């Protein structure tokens, strides 16, 4: 069920006579969350059809989406509108924080700085504890850009629920699913790029310096070598230099997390049947020719809710790329 409300918030109608086969929902991690559909004008739908205008709201499954793209056309005497509406969260790009701050800040302090002048009725909450990070001139950008900057620095996932934003530890985003993605098992349509361009097996970490002698470190720089080095040999990744770290064991955990000691896997699968996979879930990916049997994350889902039994298209990735770079890569490989 789709409800349309005009930009002025003075009229609201249930949308009737839209092509249910055309309706889709698409989500891409840190990039977009949108719905799209084709609506037609009939005697019964004249009012709701007129409400389908730029910046009008579309409510679906309790979430608000804002119409950003309309393609009007006619066929005979009948008029149509092809609609694309993005989640209300993305209207944060219309807000701007001109002031900047410099110094060591926690995620909650940075978020408070972003939203201190917000008049768009957004609220936020954050869960978990994080090591503060040094920031220089944080600000002078739109809200979305600044939020994405926080997500790149800290191990945090952002979950929007209309105008309520929840920031949670990244390891709490998504769950592990036991049902694997396996060629010739639950999919015949696998379009994957697997590469070892960034595969490394060893990394060094440098922590805090001593206050009375900056030429010395609080703990000796440590080297972490992945067990994968037995298979791939020693391949050295750029070191981590972070003076927030006072203890070697904390630095070693950071090195284990940062080291890219596995092939990068990005791609799209169309499953043979509907699935319980949700945003951020981790699913086993099995690819026998390279001996790969590893968990990779659902970073994109396109579903077709009004088409019975039509399975979703799933985007999977274990890379640290942004979704924009990932999708460009897939297009270059001819996979999209």
């Amino acid at each position: 069920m789709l409800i349309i409300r005009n930009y002025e918030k003075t009229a609201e109608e249930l949308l009737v006579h839209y092509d249910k086969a055309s309706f889709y929902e698409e989500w891409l991690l840190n990039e977009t969350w949108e719905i799209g559909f084709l609506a037609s004008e009939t005697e019964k739908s004249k009012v709701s059809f007129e409400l389908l205008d730029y910046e009008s709201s579309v409510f679906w499954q309790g979430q608000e989406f804002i119409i950003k793209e309309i393609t009007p056309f006619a066929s005979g005497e009948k008029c149509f509108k092809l609609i694309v509406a993005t989640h209300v969260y993305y209207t944060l790009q219309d807000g701007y924080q001109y002031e900047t701050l410099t110094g060591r800040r926690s995620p909650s302090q940075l978020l408070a700085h972003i939203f201190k002048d917000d008049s768009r009725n957004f609220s936020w909450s954050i869960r978990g504890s994080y090591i503060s990070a040094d920031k220089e001139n944080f600000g002078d950008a739109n809200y979305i850009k600044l939020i994405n900057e926080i997500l790149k620095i800290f191990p945090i996932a952002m979950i929007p629920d209309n105008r309520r934003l929840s920031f949670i530890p990244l390891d709490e985003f998504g769950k592990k699913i036991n049902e694997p993605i396996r060629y010739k098992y639950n999919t015949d349509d696998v379009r994957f790029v697997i590469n070892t361009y960034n595969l490394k097996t060893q990394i060094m970490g440098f922590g805090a310096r001593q206050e009375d002698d900056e030429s010395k470190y609080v703990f000796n720089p440590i080297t972490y070598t992945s067990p994968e080095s037995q298979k791939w040999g020693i391949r050295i990744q750029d070191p981590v230099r972070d003076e927030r770290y006072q203890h070697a064991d904390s630095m070693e955990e950071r090195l284990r997390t940062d080291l890219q000691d596995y092939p990068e896997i990005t791609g799209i699968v169309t499953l043979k049947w509907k699935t319980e996979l949700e945003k951020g879930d981790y699913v086993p990916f099995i690819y026998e020719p390279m001996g790969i049997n590893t968990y990779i994350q659902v970073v994109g889902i396109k579903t077709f809710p009004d088409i019975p039994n039509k399975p979703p298209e799933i985007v999977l990735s274990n890379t640290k790329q942004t979704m924009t770079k990932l999708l460009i890569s897939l297009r270059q490989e001819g996979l999209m």
Side-chain angles (χ1 to χ4, degrees):
M1 184 174 67
L2 301 177
I3 297 174
I4 314 301
R5 178 192 294 165
N6 64 354
Y7 176 70
E8 295 79 13
K9 297 180 174 57
T10 58
E12 184 175 292
E13 289 287 335
L14 177 68
L15 181 65
V16 294
H17 292 188
Y18 70 93
D19 180 11
K20 289 182 169 51
S22 71
F23 185 85
Y24 72 87
E25 177 195 13
E26 185 168 17
W27 167 83
L28 294 171
L29 178 64
N30 291 341
E31 293 297 327
T32 190
W33 184 6
E34 70 179 33
I35 59 174
F37 56 90
L38 177 65
S40 59
E41 183 180 28
T42 67
E43 285 298 324
K44 293 183 178 180
S45 70
K46 279 185 177 295
V47 175
S48 59
F49 189 80
E50 289 179 2
L51 290 177
L52 289 172
D53 202 356
Y54 297 102
E55 300 300 311
S56 291
S57 295
V58 182
F59 294 90
W60 181 69
Q61 290 191 340
Q63 296 294 321
E64 181 180 6
F65 296 80
I66 308 299
I67 296 176
K68 292 293 184 179
E69 185 178 324
I70 302 176
T71 305
F73 64 95
S75 179
E77 297 182 354
K78 204 166 187 179
C79 294
F80 299 87
K81 290 179 183 178
L82 189 62
I83 302 294
V84 177
T86 60
H87 194 271
V88 68
Y89 161 70
Y90 292 97
T91 63
L92 280 174
Q93 66 185 326
D94 299 327
Y96 203 95
Q97 177 52 263
Y98 291 94
E99 295 182 21
T100 63
L101 56 79
T102 297
R104 189 175 293 272
R105 296 291 192 279
S106 67
S108 59
Q109 290 172 319
L110 296 175
L111 287 167
H113 177 67
I114 293 172
F115 288 102
K116 68 178 183 179
D117 301 319
D118 177 47
S119 59
R120 299 173 183 278
N121 298 318
F122 279 85
S123 62
W124 59 273
S125 62
I126 186 167
R127 185 169 74 240
S129 59
Y130 311 91
I131 299 174
S132 296
D134 288 323
K135 291 300 300 175
E136 185 172 349
N137 296 323
F138 179 81
D140 194 21
N142 73 61
Y143 292 172
I144 289 237
K145 184 176 180 181
L146 293 175
I147 289 173
N148 287 341
E149 189 173 337
I150 292 174
L151 299 180
K152 289 177 183 178
I153 299 169
F154 299 96
I156 296 174
M158 190 279 297
I159 313 298
D161 180 8
N162 289 317
R163 295 176 183 268
R164 299 186 297 276
L165 311 180
S166 298
F167 295 84
I168 65 173
L170 192 59
D171 57 9
E172 295 182 17
F173 178 52
K175 58 185 180 299
K176 280 195 172 183
I177 303 297
N178 293 324
E179 186 72 20
I181 299 292
R182 192 170 191 166
Y183 186 57
K184 295 297 184 183
Y185 167 58
N186 53 0
T187 179
D188 291 329
D189 186 2
V190 182
R191 294 165 284 166
F192 273 94
V193 176
I194 303 172
N195 74 73
T196 58
Y197 291 123
N198 297 316
L199 189 150
K200 306 295 181 183
T201 58
Q202 189 177 88
I203 186 171
M204 287 191 69
F206 300 81
R209 297 179 182 273
Q210 295 182 9
E211 291 185 4
D212 56 350
D213 187 352
E214 292 194 354
S215 65
K216 296 181 180 179
Y217 292 96
V218 172
F219 58 87
N220 291 330
I222 62 174
T223 300
Y224 170 71
T225 302
S226 168
E228 294 297 314
S229 62
Q230 297 178 16
K231 179 178 182 180
W232 304 107
I234 298 297
R235 305 185 184 195
I236 301 175
Q237 185 167 312
D238 291 346
V240 171
R241 301 180 186 275
D242 194 331
E243 296 197 7
R244 295 176 296 169
Y245 287 87
Q246 301 282 337
H247 303 284
D249 55 349
S250 297
M251 174 58 76
E252 183 173 356
E253 182 61 31
R254 165 76 180 276
L255 298 180
R256 290 176 184 272
T257 301
D258 280 15
L259 187 62
Q260 177 79 38
D261 60 347
Y262 46 82
E264 291 185 342
I265 305 169
T266 59
I268 297 174
V269 298
T270 300
L271 301 180
K272 291 181 179 179
W273 50 75
K274 288 215 170 185
T275 175
E276 299 301 319
L277 285 175
E278 296 180 355
K279 300 166 187 174
D281 284 350
Y282 291 83
V283 59
F285 172 59
I286 301 172
Y287 185 73
E288 284 89 349
M290 281 194 68
I292 293 174
N293 186 345
T294 186
Y295 278 91
I296 50 181
Q297 190 176 29
V298 175
V299 295
I301 303 180
K302 185 173 184 178
T303 60
F304 309 89
D306 291 323
I307 304 179
N309 301 319
K310 182 168 182 177
E313 294 177 2
I314 307 291
V315 181
L316 298 165
S317 177
N318 69 350
T319 76
K320 296 180 174 68
Q321 298 181 70
T322 65
M323 280 303 304
T324 299
K325 291 180 180 178
L326 187 158
L327 294 173
I328 289 174
S329 173
L330 292 175
R331 289 190 180 101
Q332 290 173 342
E333 296 288 337
L335 300 180
M336 291 192 66

